[in-house]
Amino acid sequence: MGSHKIRVGMIGYQFMGKAHSHAYRDLPFYFEQEVVPVLQAIAGRNEEKVKKEAEKLGFLSYETDWKKLIEREDIDLIDIVTPNNTHAEMAIAAAESGKHVLCEKPLALTAEQAERMYQAVKKNRVIHMVTHNYRFAPAVQYAKKLIEDGRIGQIRHIRATYLQDWMMDPNFPLVWRLRKEITGTGTLGDIGAHSIDLARYLVGEIDEVMGTMKTFVKKRPLGETKGGLSAKVESEHMGDVEVDDTAAFLANFENGALGVFEATRYAGGNRNGNRFEINGSKGSIRWNMEKMNLLQVYFDDDEPGLQGFRTIHCTEEHHPYAEVYWPAGHGIGYEHTFINLLSCFMDGVAKGVAPRPNFEDGLMNQRVMEAVVNSTEKRQWIKIPK
Ligand code: SOE
């Protein structure tokens, strides 16, 4: 197959920078595709650090000003892995200079920003995607297939929880994920956004929500960690936590299904408990990221006496992506969700169509989150604007 190169310029290089760079590097190893990424350049403000990261992550060059990266003629795709408050300006500038854009989630701070981002990529006809990577776990894609094939019938419930515990210690510092001006919302945008994306993918559009949000630890030491999610700082200076430690909401879907959502960083013992259970008129499906290759399914027409949830290891030839990885039972991990997502992005570039989840999905997601915040403030059901 003939291939052409797409030259990647990445802005940022921490947790997500590492996940994305690794995925670009591994992509051609597993997927034979028409469009192949080249790690052309990376941007970060601190020269010493960005130089070191460029070498480690495998980029050919670096910039200390993201605007210069976007102006460069030897870059075709801008990948944004910086904190949320920077996404809109960067993505719009990238689109306006004719570059394809991949952006970390949540797409923006507000629905208004997300709308402008979506208009910019549409107007400039570039390929765009937002990195809701969990859609790309093979078990989740198989769940989607079972739903589309009608195997669980009409969907009535989704119970989606995203449970973490890495911020329970009150001495954990006021990192950017807790600073409203940088992050927008707390758990809602950081992890609840993933549950919303999974629900929209598997169940459909949300019509209205009723939310409640809480902040358990109201002051934290000032300072940043070294990039991980668990390091602590000692500081005498405290700052206010202005975002949610937990967000929960009820949702009515357009197709009549009912959703119950919960996102928290205070669910002790749950490190990355991204889970859902979907119940339909003919069966049920359950997934848990911590056992990401497994899917639990229940079919109501199973023989009486043998009914119950069965556990499927989604690594067989019948399952999505199995053919590019390992033999049955040899599972894949978190990092492969990003590789699978990028394979879609590259296909999208080859075909000239923005794959999903794209900026339109990011915008819809943002509208749901904004409605959850409004509902919490007003203590009433809020319709999602269309
Ligand atoms: C931290 O809460 C975090 O890394 C999120 O930012 C990611 O989106 C999620 O995938 C895992 O947890």
Side-chain angles (χ1 to χ4, degrees):
M1 191 197 288
S3 66
H4 79 261
K5 308 260 185 241
I6 182 164
R7 295 160 299 180
V8 180
M10 179 181 285
I11 315 178
Y13 48 75
Q14 295 205 345
F15 181 12
M16 282 307 112
K18 185 171 167 184
H20 289 210
S21 312
H22 167 266
Y24 287 117
R25 288 173 69 160
D26 256 20
L27 183 68
F29 185 90
Y30 295 110
F31 289 82
E32 204 178 306
Q33 288 188 293
E34 208 175 310
V35 176
V36 177
V38 174
L39 297 186
Q40 195 76 359
I42 189 166
R45 280 170 300 186
N46 179 314
E47 178 152 17
E48 199 188 324
K49 282 194 195 159
V50 75
K51 186 166 185 259
K52 199 167 143 226
E53 289 298 325
E55 274 164 29
K56 188 176 106 192
L57 301 175
F59 284 82
L60 297 170
S61 58
Y62 68 87
E63 296 287 346
T64 51
D65 177 355
W66 64 264
K67 291 191 174 141
K68 287 223 175 93
L69 184 79
I70 288 181
E71 280 163 14
R72 271 172 62 162
E73 283 184 2
D74 63 342
I75 301 285
D76 308 303
L77 156 63
I78 292 292
D79 186 344
I80 303 167
V81 290
T82 46
N84 313 345
N85 62 331
T86 59
H87 294 179
E89 193 187 357
M90 289 173 179
I92 292 169
E96 282 173 353
S97 60
K99 269 112 185 163
H100 304 307
V101 200
L102 178 65
C103 186
E104 257 306 323
K105 48 51 55 180
L107 189 59
L109 292 183
T110 60
E112 182 273 329
Q113 275 188 353
E115 175 78 58
R116 284 193 286 116
M117 292 165 82
Y118 175 49
Q119 294 307 332
V121 289
K122 234 179 23 172
K123 183 170 157 221
N124 292 287
R125 296 166 186 270
V126 296
I127 302 301
H128 47 101
M129 228 176 152
V130 56
T131 325
H132 281 296
N133 58 305
Y134 297 112
R135 275 194 193 203
F136 296 89
V140 172
Q141 300 228 333
Y142 197 57
K144 169 84 172 165
K145 182 176 183 317
L146 292 174
I147 292 168
E148 276 180 353
D149 290 350
R151 296 297 300 271
I152 65 162
Q154 192 192 338
I155 297 180
R156 284 158 180 169
H157 287 284
I158 176 165
R159 237 157 275 111
T161 54
Y162 203 140
L163 312 178
Q164 296 185 337
D165 65 356
W166 57 278
M167 247 183 229
M168 280 176 73
D169 181 347
N171 288 320
F172 189 90
L174 197 70
V175 293
W176 73 260
R177 278 183 169 83
L178 287 168
R179 289 165 53 197
K180 192 171 178 163
E181 70 283 10
I182 302 182
T183 187
T185 57
T187 48
L188 182 63
D190 190 37
I191 52 180
H194 283 305
S195 298
I196 295 169
D197 185 65
L198 289 172
R200 290 188 55 253
Y201 179 53
L202 296 167
V203 180
E205 291 304 338
I206 297 173
D207 180 39
E208 56 177 359
V209 294
M210 172 77 180
T212 184
M213 297 158 89
K214 269 188 201 307
T215 306
F216 298 118
V217 177
K218 300 209 164 46
K219 285 195 183 295
R220 287 183 176 273
L222 292 172
E224 280 288 333
T225 65
K226 291 210 178 74
L229 296 181
S230 58
K232 293 167 201 160
V233 291
E234 298 294 328
S235 168
E236 286 165 19
H237 303 287
M238 305 292 275
D240 293 329
V241 179
E242 291 171 339
V243 296
D244 49 293
D245 283 336
T246 182
F249 64 98
L250 295 175
N252 282 317
F253 286 73
E254 287 178 0
N255 60 12
L258 170 67
V260 180
F261 293 78
E262 185 188 13
T264 179
R265 295 182 179 129
Y266 287 75
N270 292 277
R271 301 296 197 244
N272 197 32
N274 177 5
R275 302 178 197 145
F276 61 76
E277 176 168 317
I278 298 175
N279 312 114
S281 53
K282 290 168 33 181
S284 298
I285 297 182
R286 276 186 194 149
W287 181 73
N288 175 4
M289 170 59 200
E290 288 175 326
K291 296 182 178 168
M292 62 167 277
N293 290 298
L294 305 181
L295 192 66
Q296 291 197 296
V297 293
Y298 165 79
F299 295 119
D300 210 34
D301 59 1
D302 274 350
E303 197 182 320
L306 285 178
Q307 287 190 351
F309 274 93
R310 66 181 82 160
T311 302
I312 301 165
H313 206 266
C314 295
T315 53
E316 308 219 10
E317 57 184 292
H318 318 280
H319 299 128
Y321 299 115
E323 77 284 359
V324 300
Y325 293 111
W326 316 117
H330 298 63
I332 60 167
Y334 172 68
E335 65 272 41
H336 298 88
T337 59
F338 292 92
I339 301 177
N340 298 343
L341 182 148
L342 284 185
S343 83
C344 272
F345 195 98
M346 298 306 149
D347 260 358
V349 173
K351 296 188 183 117
V353 183
R356 300 186 68 181
N358 55 37
F359 280 21
E360 190 177 9
D361 293 291
L363 167 62
M364 299 299 281
N365 196 316
Q366 206 81 43
R367 286 181 179 156
V368 174
M369 292 194 287
E370 212 150 277
V372 172
V373 174
N374 284 340
S375 159
T376 303
E377 283 167 7
K378 298 194 171 114
R379 300 175 77 82
Q380 68 188 42
W381 282 90
I382 301 283
K383 286 257 178 210
I384 314 302
K386 293 289 169 293

